[in-house]
Amino acid sequence: MGEGRIDVASILSRMPDIPYSLGIPHIKRASELGYEEYARQCLQTAKAYFNKNDF
């Protein structure tokens, strides 16, 4: 989130208020960082994105 080309905010603005799940595949980055650090960075980026876009 925040690094790709999909307009996530527009998609979510049209969806009902329900829990969401994120699928963030990036095998190369996960291999470089290790899975734990990659997951930590993905969560941090997602939280920042959702807070910035008032979700």
Side-chain angles (χ1 to χ4, degrees), residues 2-54:
E3 296 179 357
R5 295 183 180 132
I6 297 172
D7 186 1
V8 176
S10 290
I11 295 168
L12 294 179
S13 71
R14 292 170 175 79
M15 298 201 43
D17 188 20
I18 58 173
Y20 300 105
S21 174
L22 303 173
I24 310 169
H26 198 305
I27 301 299
K28 183 179 177 188
R29 187 174 292 167
S31 295
E32 292 170 356
L33 298 173
Y35 291 108
E36 185 175 344
E37 178 61 19
Y38 177 65
R40 188 191 69 72
Q41 287 186 16
C42 289
L43 180 59
Q44 181 180 20
T45 301
K47 284 181 177 181
Y49 182 87
F50 281 97
N51 288 334
K52 177 183 170 190
N53 289 284
D54 296 323

